[in-house]
Each structure stands twice: as structure tokens, then as C-alpha cells.
Amino acid sequence: GQQVMQIPQYQHVQEGEDFTTYCNSSTTLSNIQWYKQRPGGHPVFLIQLVKSGEVKKQKRLTFQFGEAKKNSSLHITATQTTDVGTYFCAGTAGGTSYGKLTFGQGTILTVHP
Amino acid sequence: ETGVTQTPRHLVMGMTNKKSLKCEQHLGHNAMYWYKQSAKKPLELMFVYSLEERVENNSVPSRFSPECPNSSHLFLHLHTLQPEDSALYLCASSQDAGRPYEQYFGPGTRLTVT
């Protein structure tokens, strides 16, 4: 079955440093979504990428979808303590008839002030 | 507040008990989902409902029995669970199951099986 791998599993940064998490799928994806889960909270949707090579920005967050639509990345510039949480990528395999998401295991980000 | 509520928030049950988890969405969505989130494992999709019809059963053991009486409500009936079933159970909804719309998650039910 489809697998989505995410690295690193953990990332500790000093406030102000940059952070990147990478997502790789075993199969070509029709789309990829990113979610953030704060400690003790639930996943919250951040963004969806659909097109090959697509790049989207949300303030300090930059999301990329690979040309082959099998990988994606999330980059945070100048992290803040409010960025703490687990970041998940979730993809839908090409040809899937409905929105079945396969989640990566997530990257846990801690930010030291 | 995401518009998706879940009750109870915490549940402790023995292996011989029967309990139910409830989810309600106030977003007018047509699709609802159950996920299992265990420590150090990815979110696992359990069931997908589209307009009250189950469209996905992701190889979930029969001790988990979903019910979707209408597009706003989703239940997960539990019976004879195992300790390894202890996890956070998340409900989610989306506009439609026919396309990969963003999913809105509820706060989850933290289940402990003793």
C-alpha cells in the first residue's frame, strides 16, 4: 500500500533559526496536504498543493511540491515559540476516487527561546 | 473551534466493556472520517463515510463498528477491545469525500483500555 515517509522525526531549534521537514511518498500523489498539531491538540489544516513543482507561501512558511509529485517540503523561516508542534504531511494517491489521505508520521518541532 | 465536536474527551474501559464514541460536525460537510492516532505512529485512517454511506473500511477489526445516522453525526461503537487499542481517536469531516478537500478534525477522544 501507499506509504508516506517524513523526516526528521524530531527537530530542536533555537528561536530564530530556520526549520525544514521533508515528506516522501512511495507512489505518485494527486495532491498533498500539510497539517499542524499543537501539543495536546488536534491536527489543523495548513495548506494543499496540487500542481507539479508548486510553491506556496504563508508568511514565514514555504511549502513545495516536487516535480514528480512524490515529495514535498515545509520550510519555516525564523522560527518562533508559537511554531511548536507536530507537522504532518498527508497525500492522496493518484487515481484514488475519493479523498483518502495517507499521513506521514510527522515531525515534532520544539523551539527554545 | 473547528466545528467538529467529540464526546467523551477521555474514556477508560475494560476489555469486556461496550462503549461508543460520538462525533458531530456543524460545518454542513458531506464526508466524515475516523482516525486512530497512536504514539510514534502516523494517523491511521479507519473509516470514511460519504453522505452516510461507508466508502472505506481500512482493514479495521470488527471490534470497532462505525455508524453514521446522518451527515452530521458519526459514532464508533467499541466492544471487547484490546490494550493495544488505547489511542487518541480523531473524527474529521470534509466538504465531500469525492475529492481531497481539507479535513477538519475534532479534539479527539483519549481512549485507555485496561
Side-chain angles (χ1 to χ4, degrees):
Chain A
Q2 181 190 10
Q3 290 188 336
V4 176
M5 305 301 294
Q6 204 172 338
I7 57 170
Q9 190 173 353
Y10 303 94
Q11 185 75 58
H12 311 283
V13 300
Q14 204 69 29
E15 189 173 21
E17 293 181 338
D18 293 355
F19 159 75
T20 304
T21 175
Y22 301 90
C23 185
N24 291 285
S25 171
S26 59
T27 59
T28 301
L29 302 170
S30 62
N31 74 296
I32 194 155
Q33 299 180 2
W34 285 91
Y35 290 80
K36 176 183 178 181
Q37 185 173 18
R38 295 183 184 274
H42 55 273
V44 175
F45 175 82
L46 294 177
I47 208 160
Q48 176 168 265
L49 304 171
V50 179
K51 299 177 182 177
S52 170
E54 188 170 14
V55 178
K56 287 189 176 180
K57 292 189 176 184
Q58 288 180 350
K59 297 183 180 178
R60 295 178 294 103
L61 278 62
T62 301
F63 304 84
Q64 291 187 312
F65 201 8
E67 294 288 343
K69 301 184 75 173
K70 295 183 72 174
N71 58 75
S72 181
S73 65
L74 159 59
H75 179 82
I76 302 178
T77 303
T79 54
Q80 300 174 359
T81 54
T82 53
D83 295 324
V84 165
T86 303
Y87 292 85
F88 295 97
C89 62
T92 302
T96 303
S97 61
Y98 55 86
K100 176 181 175 180
L101 289 175
T102 300
F103 279 79
Q105 64 190 112
T107 295
I108 300 172
L109 173 65
T110 55
V111 180
H112 301 287
Chain B
E1 180 58 50
T2 63
V4 181
T5 58
Q6 289 186 244
T7 54
R9 295 293 306 275
H10 301 273
L11 177 62
V12 179
M13 60 185 289
M15 290 189 285
T16 58
N17 291 159
K18 290 185 179 180
K19 296 287 185 182
S20 295
L21 311 184
K22 179 183 177 182
C23 175
E24 183 174 0
Q25 58 97 0
H26 312 273
L27 301 168
H29 289 166
N30 291 327
M32 296 189 77
Y33 310 79
W34 278 117
Y35 287 89
K36 176 183 179 181
Q37 187 173 35
S38 305
K40 301 182 179 180
K41 292 180 72 175
L43 269 79
E44 300 172 64
L45 179 66
M46 300 175 71
F47 301 103
V48 180
Y49 275 84
S50 173
L51 294 170
E52 303 124 57
E53 180 183 347
R54 190 190 312 178
V55 295
E56 176 77 9
N57 176 347
N58 212 23
S59 302
V60 180
S62 59
R63 56 186 184 269
F64 296 91
S65 174
E67 178 190 1
C68 188
N70 55 64
S71 58
S72 298
H73 293 86
L74 185 65
F75 295 88
L76 188 63
H77 304 300
L78 316 171
H79 66 97
T80 59
L81 294 192
Q82 304 297 312
E84 59 265 29
D85 296 323
S86 298
L88 181 67
Y89 288 85
L90 291 160
C91 172
S93 71
S94 69
Q95 183 175 337
D96 193 276
R99 294 178 63 185
Y101 290 104
E102 63 190 89
Q103 295 187 11
Y104 293 80
F105 285 82
T109 296
R110 175 70 61 185
L111 174 66
T112 303
V113 181
T114 60

